[in-house]
């Protein structure tokens, strides 16, 4: 039945269309550096031959705007992570496309599908496929974080990062992206009650939702946690670090407590029990060497 054929073209097209506008739109509103670059006056506006002498007051205003747009640890992080998030989203959507096509192939067979294990690999293997797809990009994000702490990009740094700096990023990937996907697909199988045609429609809907909504949203957190892990990996033992709150974002009580704790030796827990920012999904805090 042609209606049950996997949407290979649609899936591939979706894989190549990460929510670039959504990511950049958020960062335009959050990053003073990006806003400053977008709002720079054109050469025609400053051309004395066309508009007469330049108003010194206006020049002072431009200078003030430039000063206000000086990069911060938050704007540097966001600018560096945007292309990594876009590349990561594209890779994960390809993984989802392959995963969906494999599930639909199984559903076209005569044997009724009655449990999630019929469609997906074991949880650890499932998570690993996502981690492997993002490995290079997450390491790059952590290297950027280590750079904030003064660490140079080296082979030994990347080895250190792979050994432990990505633990929190992988946990977000597992808990907030893969496990909810499995739960939704498991419900689709249960609700289909052995009717492969009905399950096929439900499975398509779940994967469509993950490709168009969850991937782009969740990757923001995954990459910020990778960056945060890199900061800690780049700090020398014995260095004191401080918890910084993004002034452009609302502050939660837990992060405020961590900020008020002042400088602590790297690896020491802040009041919430975290040794580095971010603290939770949606958190935009940073941990930085206190000397900064």
């Amino acid at each position: 039945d042609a209606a049950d054929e996997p949407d290979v073209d649609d899936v591939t097209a979706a894989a190549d269309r990460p929510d670039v506008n959504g990511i950049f739109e958020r960062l335009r509103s959050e990053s003073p550096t990006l806003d400053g670059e977008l709002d720079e006056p054109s050469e025609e506006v400053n051309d004395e031959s066309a508009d007469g002498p330049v108003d010194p007051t206006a020049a002072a205003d431009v200078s003030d705007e430039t000063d206000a747009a000086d990069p911060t640890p938050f704007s540097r992080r966001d600018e560096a992570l945007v292309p990594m998030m876009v590349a990561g989203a594209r890779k994960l959507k390809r993984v989802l496309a392959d995963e969906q096509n494999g599930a639909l192939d199984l559903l076209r067979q005569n044997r009724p599908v009655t449990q999630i294990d019929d469609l997906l690999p074991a949880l650890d293997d499932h998570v690993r496929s996502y981690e492997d797809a993002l490995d290079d990009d997450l390491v790059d994000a952590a290297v950027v974080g280590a750079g904030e702490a003064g660490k140079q990009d080296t082979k030994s740094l990347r080895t250190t990062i792979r050994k432990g700096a990505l633990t929190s990023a992988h946990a977000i990937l597992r808990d907030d992206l893969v496990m909810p996907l499995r739960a939704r697909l498991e419900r689709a199988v249960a609700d289909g009650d052995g009717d492969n045609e009905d399950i096929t429609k439900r499975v398509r809907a779940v994967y469509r939702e993950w490709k168009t909504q969850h991937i782009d949203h969740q990757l923001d957190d995954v990459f910020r946690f990778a960056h945060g892990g890199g900061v800690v990996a780049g700090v020398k033992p014995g260095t004191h670090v401080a918890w910084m709150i993004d002034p452009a974002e609302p502050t939660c009580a837990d992060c405020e407590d961590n900020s008020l704790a002042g400088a602590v030796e790297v690896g020491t827990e802040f009041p919430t029990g975290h040794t580095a920012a971010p603290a939770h999904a949606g958190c935009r805090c940073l941990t930085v060497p206190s000397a900064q």
Side-chain angles (χ1 to χ4, degrees):
D1 187 346
D4 289 335
E5 288 296 318
D7 298 329
V8 176
D9 292 338
D10 291 343
V11 169
T12 302
D16 289 328
R17 292 198 303 271
D19 185 19
V20 181
N21 292 334
I23 296 174
F24 275 95
E25 190 61 30
R26 287 196 299 277
L27 291 175
R28 286 192 187 101
S29 65
E30 296 164 359
S31 170
T33 301
L34 287 180
D35 286 342
E37 291 174 354
L38 290 173
D39 293 338
E40 286 181 358
S42 67
E43 293 182 1
E44 293 182 356
V45 172
N46 292 323
D47 187 350
E48 289 192 22
S49 64
D51 300 321
V54 176
D55 182 350
T57 303
D61 291 342
V62 171
S63 177
D64 290 343
E65 289 178 6
T66 302
D67 292 340
D70 286 344
T72 68
F74 299 100
S75 65
R76 288 195 295 269
R77 175 188 63 184
D78 289 346
E79 286 187 63
L81 294 189
V82 166
M84 300 176 195
M85 292 177 184
V86 172
R90 182 178 295 114
K91 290 174 183 177
L92 279 197
K93 288 176 182 180
R94 292 187 186 279
V95 171
L96 280 172
D98 292 341
E99 193 176 289
Q100 176 183 346
N101 286 341
L104 295 179
D105 285 342
L106 289 170
L107 286 165
R108 279 197 298 273
Q109 298 176 11
N110 294 328
R111 181 173 63 87
V113 171
T114 58
Q115 55 185 1
I116 190 64
D117 291 341
D118 293 337
L119 293 181
L120 297 174
L123 175 60
D124 288 345
D125 293 333
H126 194 185
V127 173
R128 193 173 300 112
S129 68
Y130 286 61
E131 292 175 353
D132 290 347
L134 292 179
D135 182 66
D136 290 340
D137 298 300
L138 291 182
V139 171
D140 286 344
V143 166
V144 171
E148 284 290 328
K151 195 79 170 180
Q152 297 297 314
D153 182 0
T154 62
K155 184 177 180 179
S156 62
L157 172 62
R158 289 176 174 267
T159 299
T160 299
I161 285 171
R162 283 193 165 95
K163 285 183 177 179
L166 300 180
T167 301
S168 295
H170 288 165
I172 290 286
L173 191 64
R174 178 190 185 99
D175 297 342
D176 293 359
L177 192 64
V178 179
M179 290 185 68
L181 172 62
R182 291 177 69 91
R184 287 287 301 278
L185 290 171
E186 188 170 16
R187 190 191 317 161
V189 171
D191 291 346
D193 195 24
D195 183 344
N196 284 11
E197 183 176 351
D198 181 62
I199 296 173
T200 294
K201 295 175 183 178
R202 297 174 186 273
V203 166
R204 287 181 187 276
V206 172
Y207 276 107
R208 185 179 303 114
E209 178 183 341
W210 249 251
K211 286 179 293 186
T212 59
Q213 299 178 34
H214 292 276
I215 290 292
D216 294 311
H217 177 70
Q218 300 302 148
L219 280 189
D220 286 14
D221 290 326
V222 173
F223 276 88
R224 288 192 185 109
F225 271 87
H227 179 278
V231 172
V232 174
V235 173
K236 294 180 180 179
T239 301
H240 282 69
V241 296
W243 192 284
M244 289 182 64
I245 295 173
D246 188 343
E249 293 293 315
T251 305
C252 73
D254 285 345
C255 290
E256 187 171 4
D257 287 344
N258 289 343
S259 176
L260 294 174
V264 304
E265 187 173 337
V266 65
T268 302
E269 292 183 352
F270 285 90
T272 59
H274 296 88
T275 57
H280 52 77
C283 178
R284 294 181 54 84
C285 294
L286 279 171
T287 310
V288 297
S290 57
Q292 297 183 10

